Amino acid sequence: MKRSEVNHKIKEAVDFIEQMNFKLPPFAYWGPEEWKTKGSEYDEIRDNMLGWDITDFGSGDFENIGLLLFTIRNGNLNNDKYIKTYAEKILIVEEEQVTPLHFHWNKMEDIINRGGGNLMVQVYNSTEDEELADTPVEISMDGRVCTVDAGTVLRITPGESITLPVGQYHKFWGEKGTGKVLIGEVSMVNDDNADNRFYEQTGRFSDIEEDEAPLYVLGNEYSTVK
Ligand SMILES: [Fe+2]
């Protein structure tokens, strides 16, 4: 992705999040120059990759296959200095913009529609060799359990949520004609470097082409700002 596109998409996200009356912590708005003034007292943000995250999953086509996120809090499975066992993110999903089919080996997560359009979530169980199972899928949505066929697409309307257990494949996008969606994610500790099993070969972090100066620092870029 081009840096100009990253800047533009994050600016749009800031506007949308404000419009939805959700508030981000102060570090959401710090650019590279401000980050240079922040010392080791902010290492939790750097070490646990909190903050902005934008990806086209290696597709080169962010509008159709992509996701914009902000990690608000997280623990760290590789550093026992951090004792949080939980994580929280906010995600922005456009109409028909797909996050490809994947599951997590360790992280159980709740995906919550915080407002805007409807979120569509397709679910499958995985087999032992990490393929798609054709077995019925047990679903838990806001305190109600039910069983659906493999590959069922569920509609999550504003206020509703779905629990995704480990090993359950999920793919999601915003429903056409309903507007972009503000999604909350409440989960166990998140490790995007090692805990995503994508069904198809996919990149998790995008390479950025520097065509203008960055307005924001992404969660995987703190080491480049000194
Ligand atoms: Fe997931």
Side-chain angles (χ1 to χ4, degrees), residues 102 104 107 109 164 170 172 185:
H102 67 283
H104 310 284
K107 179 180 76 165
E109 59 187 344
L164 298 163
H170 48 283
F172 55 85
E185 178 182 311

Side-chain angles (χ1 to χ4, degrees), residues 190-207:
N190 177 80
D191 180 4
D192 276 316
N193 289 313
D195 193 27
N196 295 312
R197 157 59 180 160
F198 284 99
Y199 181 63
E200 284 168 334
Q201 184 68 35
T202 303
R204 176 59 184 81
F205 296 104
S206 297
D207 293 329

